[in-house]
Amino acid sequence: MIISSTEEKSTYILEECDCTANTQKKYETVMCLGNGYLGMRSAFCEEIPEQTRLTLIAGLYDKQPHEEEELIPLPDVTPLSIAVEGEKISPLHKNSSEYSRSLNVRSGLLTYQYRYSPKDMEGDLLVKHSRFVSMAQKNLAMFETDIVSEGDFELELVSSINARITVNGTQHTFEEERTVLDNDLLWYGGRAAIAGTQFRVGSKMRIYVNGAEQEGIQRYSTERRIVSSTVRIKLSKGDELRIIRYATYYTANDIDWTGRDEDIVERTDSVCQKNFEYLLLESEKEWDSLWRTCDISVESDDASENLKLRLAMYHMMIMCPWQDDRVSIAAKGLTGMGYAGHVFWDCEIFNLPFFSYTNPMAARNLCIYRYRTLDGARRKARKYGYVGAMYPWESASVSGDEQSPEFKNYSPDNTPRRVTCGDIEQHVVCDVAYGVYSYGQVTGDRGFMKKYGLEILFETAAFWLSRLEYNEQKDRYEIRQVTGPDEYKEYVDNDVFTNYAVAWNLRTALDEIDRLRTEDTEAFNAFDKRLGLANLADGIGKKLPRLYLPTANDDGLIPQNDTYLTLKRIDISKYKNSGINRLIYRDYSLREIGGLMVSKQADLIQLFSLMPDLFPSDIIRKNFDFYEDKCIHDSSLSLSAFATVAARLGETDIAHGLFKGALDTDFGEHSTLCNEGIHAANCGGIWQTAVFGFAGIGVFEETLRIEPHIPLAWRNIAVRLSWRGCELQITLDNKNVTVESLNGKEIYVFVSGKEIRVNDRTTVTY
Ligand code: BGC
């Protein structure tokens, strides 16, 4: 293990000591393993009720007729049944005690252990399982089980590949082969039922007693969709049994897929020659280099805050398709089937900034995914009668086609209602452009912008030009009949977030057209020929100045949309503090909620969070108070946006409270909101509150700025990030900011309004 000191242990290791059926799903999610290609929920090896066993591969979707694309749950390699004298054991069994489970987020290693006392027999069994999904070899998951016998027992072990997995009643795969190959390799081949994408799963068990490998003792069997290996073994008092299981997953989507099973078998065989410790070390080294580029340490009265912040970062690292630019980050990462593995604005607005600031290559891949889906976005624009690119509200495969379902059950009477997000939640179009542009700004990757990013910016701007509606009476352009981020308000006119984000999209496109014209005529001409840049610039020049941008009324309030301030007020305390998602639906239908002054999530505040300099701080403060009071935070995307804005306002107590709420959404002791999967956007939001809110890091006039607002309970925060090729360690306490350039590059930084030059290590008192 790379991390061992006590101090580090407490803030990198999540421990669970009480094993109950009620918290199973939660910890399967929170302790999920992965490497961005493979995601594996941390269900126990032993069979127990209430488990959601799930292994997913990024980008491996299937689409049933009349349904949307959905990630395919793959055959499960986790099962290892252990029976002692005929009785199956598990950590939940009444004869089990001394249970504990832990996830080390620094190394990606999961372990759990317990003591099992067989009925009416002398002595116990001490069972310890360890497992990891390799960060070094994307196709590999490793399992180790150590059993110390304190008596004389006969054990039966059954390890299997189990492909009896359905999601919501849909069987997504066809079996192609189920067998045992030479060298004890359990083998399962199949393909996606409709898409036809092939996959192969291999699993091999090796058994050692007191260090000596036991060969030739495995007996094989297959039944429908299951292939298993069974071992019977006698243990005497003091014996140590070690079971090592290697599992590999390959799919025809893999960049290095050859289509030949022999190649996969050969690769799997070769990995099976290595021991568990070697493969773990190899993976830990990768983890170590990832953490080195992004770690944040917080010295706080409550050490669990740092652990939860790191858990959020860990989750972003296991959901990021590091090497693949054909897939992106789904709303639940690879931890659950929620939202079917679809990609939302969550990625560009909440997750992408973390990668732009800490791992530019990964961020670049995420942006290229949106470039690859441009054609789908163009198709959607045409379908709705517009031009340019209209990104889907929910995206999945590189087809880029809309995957938002048409119907869902949300009403109190359970009647399916039409889901309108795919039609009218259009802010995603500017969110994609904003995310991609911000990547370019943070990294300075002009090459990327010219090859991919600018096209996204221009095509989204073209969409908005065709989308704007002219209001003759008021002589202005408007955007009517949309849903903003606050999804409790459908079909509204002039949603404040959307209108300002569109203005940003158009203005930035125009600025970039001007820049290209003067800086790179050749590129300008090439774009102009393909996309009609001169026309686009003309159109923006005409329409943008007349785009309606809601401003503060006499009371200092900026209306969230044309009607929000006229809606009926109700007492929302019952819903706001309930800890139950969407409790309000038990009392009101969505239509009724549309008529109430109640918000699901940050809308105007989300705008403040993205564009902190748009309004003076007294207006931000006034609106923060007003809208926070109306917001139930019924979306996990909400708290962090409010927290970031509160921190920037200097309201550190309020911000800290909201931040803790965001931490506890998935990682709180009593929360079970993440049973069906982690809230990926919230993980990004947590990072943003720490970095953009409390550390006050951001961009001002193309320069990095730092305006700290550290909570009282924090003594300091140290943030690692990179800005335009300069690797920085920024440490802040309530008096000083120290900026250290780690790779010797010189940069200028604004610290609380003062410009400073850093080429080594500089401390400023603020
Ligand atoms: C939120 C959206 C979000 C989606 C996926 C919804 O509940 O309102 O803003 O994109 O979940 O996380």
Side-chain angles (χ1 to χ4, degrees), residues 331 339 344-346 393 425 485 487 582 600-601 634-637 681:
Y339 294 115
F344 292 70
W345 70 310
D346 306 31
W393 174 243
E425 195 154 355
E487 291 180 337
R582 303 194 178 115
K600 177 181 181 185
Q601 66 200 87
D634 249 352
S635 157
S636 65
L637 281 60

mmCIF file of all heavy atoms in Angstrom, residues 331 339 344-346 393 425 485 487 582 600-601 634-637 681, ligand 1:
data_model
loop_
_atom_site.group_PDB
_atom_site.id
_atom_site.type_symbol
_atom_site.label_atom_id
_atom_site.label_comp_id
_atom_site.label_asym_id
_atom_site.label_seq_id
_atom_site.Cartn_x
_atom_site.Cartn_y
_atom_site.Cartn_z
ATOM 1 N N ALA A 331 -24.777 10.600 -15.839
ATOM 2 C CA ALA A 331 -25.256 11.261 -14.621
ATOM 3 C C ALA A 331 -25.003 10.444 -13.354
ATOM 4 O O ALA A 331 -24.925 10.994 -12.266
ATOM 5 C CB ALA A 331 -26.744 11.585 -14.756
ATOM 6 N N TYR A 339 -30.847 6.911 -14.844
ATOM 7 C CA TYR A 339 -30.723 7.689 -16.081
ATOM 8 C C TYR A 339 -30.081 6.885 -17.208
ATOM 9 O O TYR A 339 -29.571 7.444 -18.182
ATOM 10 C CB TYR A 339 -29.943 8.979 -15.872
ATOM 11 C CG TYR A 339 -30.642 9.970 -14.972
ATOM 12 C CD1 TYR A 339 -30.092 10.332 -13.747
ATOM 13 C CD2 TYR A 339 -31.848 10.550 -15.334
ATOM 14 C CE1 TYR A 339 -30.729 11.235 -12.908
ATOM 15 C CE2 TYR A 339 -32.488 11.468 -14.507
ATOM 16 C CZ TYR A 339 -31.928 11.792 -13.298
ATOM 17 O OH TYR A 339 -32.553 12.693 -12.479
ATOM 18 N N PHE A 344 -25.719 14.227 -19.465
ATOM 19 C CA PHE A 344 -26.510 15.460 -19.398
ATOM 20 C C PHE A 344 -25.580 16.676 -19.403
ATOM 21 O O PHE A 344 -24.366 16.528 -19.487
ATOM 22 C CB PHE A 344 -27.325 15.490 -18.098
ATOM 23 C CG PHE A 344 -28.424 14.462 -17.995
ATOM 24 C CD1 PHE A 344 -28.137 13.117 -17.853
ATOM 25 C CD2 PHE A 344 -29.759 14.841 -18.013
ATOM 26 C CE1 PHE A 344 -29.157 12.167 -17.733
ATOM 27 C CE2 PHE A 344 -30.776 13.900 -17.883
ATOM 28 C CZ PHE A 344 -30.468 12.562 -17.744
ATOM 29 N N TRP A 345 -26.157 17.853 -19.190
ATOM 30 C CA TRP A 345 -25.336 19.062 -18.989
ATOM 31 C C TRP A 345 -24.456 18.909 -17.764
ATOM 32 O O TRP A 345 -23.479 19.613 -17.595
ATOM 33 C CB TRP A 345 -26.228 20.308 -18.873
ATOM 34 C CG TRP A 345 -27.051 20.416 -17.597
ATOM 35 C CD1 TRP A 345 -27.858 19.449 -17.060
ATOM 36 C CD2 TRP A 345 -27.153 21.540 -16.717
ATOM 37 N NE1 TRP A 345 -28.463 19.911 -15.910
ATOM 38 C CE2 TRP A 345 -28.054 21.196 -15.669
ATOM 39 C CE3 TRP A 345 -26.597 22.820 -16.718
ATOM 40 C CZ2 TRP A 345 -28.381 22.074 -14.642
ATOM 41 C CZ3 TRP A 345 -26.937 23.697 -15.685
ATOM 42 C CH2 TRP A 345 -27.816 23.316 -14.665
ATOM 43 N N ASP A 346 -24.821 17.958 -16.898
ATOM 44 C CA ASP A 346 -24.049 17.687 -15.690
ATOM 45 C C ASP A 346 -22.561 17.597 -16.024
ATOM 46 O O ASP A 346 -21.712 18.057 -15.266
ATOM 47 C CB ASP A 346 -24.471 16.334 -15.069
ATOM 48 C CG ASP A 346 -25.963 16.223 -14.799
ATOM 49 O OD1 ASP A 346 -26.747 16.833 -15.549
ATOM 50 O OD2 ASP A 346 -26.348 15.508 -13.853
ATOM 51 N N TRP A 393 -30.853 16.770 -24.822
ATOM 52 C CA TRP A 393 -30.878 16.888 -23.357
ATOM 53 C C TRP A 393 -30.189 15.676 -22.738
ATOM 54 O O TRP A 393 -29.423 15.787 -21.811
ATOM 55 C CB TRP A 393 -32.326 17.029 -22.867
ATOM 56 C CG TRP A 393 -32.429 16.997 -21.378
ATOM 57 C CD1 TRP A 393 -33.076 16.085 -20.615
ATOM 58 C CD2 TRP A 393 -31.820 17.914 -20.458
ATOM 59 N NE1 TRP A 393 -32.908 16.362 -19.276
ATOM 60 C CE2 TRP A 393 -32.140 17.487 -19.158
ATOM 61 C CE3 TRP A 393 -31.015 19.059 -20.612
ATOM 62 C CZ2 TRP A 393 -31.707 18.160 -18.016
ATOM 63 C CZ3 TRP A 393 -30.574 19.723 -19.473
ATOM 64 C CH2 TRP A 393 -30.919 19.274 -18.199
ATOM 65 N N GLU A 425 -35.811 21.569 -22.813
ATOM 66 C CA GLU A 425 -34.732 21.946 -21.874
ATOM 67 C C GLU A 425 -33.483 22.227 -22.712
ATOM 68 O O GLU A 425 -32.527 21.453 -22.763
ATOM 69 C CB GLU A 425 -34.498 20.870 -20.801
ATOM 70 C CG GLU A 425 -33.671 21.465 -19.680
ATOM 71 C CD GLU A 425 -33.823 20.848 -18.317
ATOM 72 O OE1 GLU A 425 -34.660 19.957 -18.123
ATOM 73 O OE2 GLU A 425 -33.072 21.271 -17.418
ATOM 74 N N PRO A 485 -32.817 25.364 -15.901
ATOM 75 C CA PRO A 485 -32.326 24.363 -14.956
ATOM 76 C C PRO A 485 -33.369 23.994 -13.905
ATOM 77 O O PRO A 485 -33.441 22.844 -13.473
ATOM 78 C CB PRO A 485 -31.121 25.058 -14.314
ATOM 79 C CG PRO A 485 -30.628 25.976 -15.381
ATOM 80 C CD PRO A 485 -31.856 26.464 -16.096
ATOM 81 N N GLU A 487 -36.336 22.619 -13.142
ATOM 82 C CA GLU A 487 -37.278 21.802 -13.919
ATOM 83 C C GLU A 487 -38.702 21.803 -13.369
ATOM 84 O O GLU A 487 -39.572 21.159 -13.932
ATOM 85 C CB GLU A 487 -36.751 20.358 -14.011
ATOM 86 C CG GLU A 487 -35.502 20.261 -14.865
ATOM 87 C CD GLU A 487 -34.964 18.842 -14.967
ATOM 88 O OE1 GLU A 487 -35.264 18.019 -14.082
ATOM 89 O OE2 GLU A 487 -34.228 18.568 -15.922
ATOM 90 N N ARG A 582 -38.076 14.721 -3.984
ATOM 91 C CA ARG A 582 -39.341 14.933 -4.687
ATOM 92 C C ARG A 582 -40.575 14.653 -3.816
ATOM 93 O O ARG A 582 -41.595 14.190 -4.316
ATOM 94 C CB ARG A 582 -39.412 14.057 -5.944
ATOM 95 C CG ARG A 582 -38.251 14.316 -6.862
ATOM 96 C CD ARG A 582 -38.453 13.749 -8.236
ATOM 97 N NE ARG A 582 -37.326 14.070 -9.063
ATOM 98 C CZ ARG A 582 -36.485 13.195 -9.578
ATOM 99 N NH1 ARG A 582 -36.673 11.909 -9.365
ATOM 100 N NH2 ARG A 582 -35.486 13.588 -10.324
ATOM 101 N N LYS A 600 -37.018 23.689 -7.953
ATOM 102 C CA LYS A 600 -36.373 22.392 -7.726
ATOM 103 C C LYS A 600 -34.878 22.592 -7.448
ATOM 104 O O LYS A 600 -34.283 21.931 -6.620
ATOM 105 C CB LYS A 600 -36.547 21.532 -8.984
ATOM 106 C CG LYS A 600 -35.862 20.185 -8.928
ATOM 107 C CD LYS A 600 -36.057 19.420 -10.225
ATOM 108 C CE LYS A 600 -35.393 18.057 -10.189
ATOM 109 N NZ LYS A 600 -35.466 17.347 -11.460
ATOM 110 N N GLN A 601 -34.277 23.504 -8.188
ATOM 111 C CA GLN A 601 -32.827 23.647 -8.105
ATOM 112 C C GLN A 601 -32.409 25.036 -8.555
ATOM 113 O O GLN A 601 -33.219 25.820 -9.045
ATOM 114 C CB GLN A 601 -32.149 22.596 -8.973
ATOM 115 C CG GLN A 601 -32.384 22.750 -10.460
ATOM 116 C CD GLN A 601 -32.110 21.458 -11.207
ATOM 117 O OE1 GLN A 601 -32.996 20.614 -11.329
ATOM 118 N NE2 GLN A 601 -30.907 21.295 -11.716
ATOM 119 N N ASP A 634 -34.253 19.945 -4.721
ATOM 120 C CA ASP A 634 -34.722 18.605 -5.063
ATOM 121 C C ASP A 634 -33.887 17.975 -6.169
ATOM 122 O O ASP A 634 -34.223 16.913 -6.682
ATOM 123 C CB ASP A 634 -36.189 18.672 -5.513
ATOM 124 C CG ASP A 634 -37.102 18.006 -4.503
ATOM 125 O OD1 ASP A 634 -36.577 17.388 -3.563
ATOM 126 O OD2 ASP A 634 -38.331 18.116 -4.653
ATOM 127 N N SER A 635 -32.840 18.671 -6.537
ATOM 128 C CA SER A 635 -31.877 18.083 -7.469
ATOM 129 C C SER A 635 -30.527 18.174 -6.780
ATOM 130 O O SER A 635 -30.217 19.168 -6.106
ATOM 131 C CB SER A 635 -31.838 18.861 -8.777
ATOM 132 O OG SER A 635 -30.601 18.632 -9.421
ATOM 133 N N SER A 636 -29.716 17.137 -6.982
ATOM 134 C CA SER A 636 -28.401 17.135 -6.339
ATOM 135 C C SER A 636 -27.479 18.191 -6.948
ATOM 136 O O SER A 636 -26.380 18.407 -6.479
ATOM 137 C CB SER A 636 -27.772 15.758 -6.499
ATOM 138 O OG SER A 636 -27.537 15.527 -7.865
ATOM 139 N N LEU A 637 -27.924 18.836 -8.024
ATOM 140 C CA LEU A 637 -27.082 19.848 -8.659
ATOM 141 C C LEU A 637 -27.198 21.204 -7.963
ATOM 142 O O LEU A 637 -26.498 22.151 -8.318
ATOM 143 C CB LEU A 637 -27.482 20.038 -10.136
ATOM 144 C CG LEU A 637 -26.998 19.025 -11.158
ATOM 145 C CD1 LEU A 637 -27.478 17.619 -10.856
ATOM 146 C CD2 LEU A 637 -27.410 19.413 -12.563
ATOM 147 N N ALA A 681 -22.846 14.793 -10.921
ATOM 148 C CA ALA A 681 -22.736 16.255 -10.973
ATOM 149 C C ALA A 681 -22.427 16.809 -9.591
ATOM 150 O O ALA A 681 -21.633 17.745 -9.441
ATOM 151 C CB ALA A 681 -24.031 16.852 -11.505
HETATM 152 C C1 BGC B 1 -31.885 17.554 -12.773
HETATM 153 C C2 BGC B 1 -31.097 17.920 -14.016
HETATM 154 C C3 BGC B 1 -29.988 16.920 -14.189
HETATM 155 C C4 BGC B 1 -30.517 15.501 -14.216
HETATM 156 C C5 BGC B 1 -29.427 14.473 -14.274
HETATM 157 C C6 BGC B 1 -32.376 16.127 -12.902
HETATM 158 O O1 BGC B 1 -33.064 15.772 -11.739
HETATM 159 O O2 BGC B 1 -32.962 18.421 -12.614
HETATM 160 O O3 BGC B 1 -30.575 19.222 -13.897
HETATM 161 O O4 BGC B 1 -29.320 17.192 -15.383
HETATM 162 O O5 BGC B 1 -31.262 15.269 -13.036
HETATM 163 O O6 BGC B 1 -28.606 14.563 -13.162
#
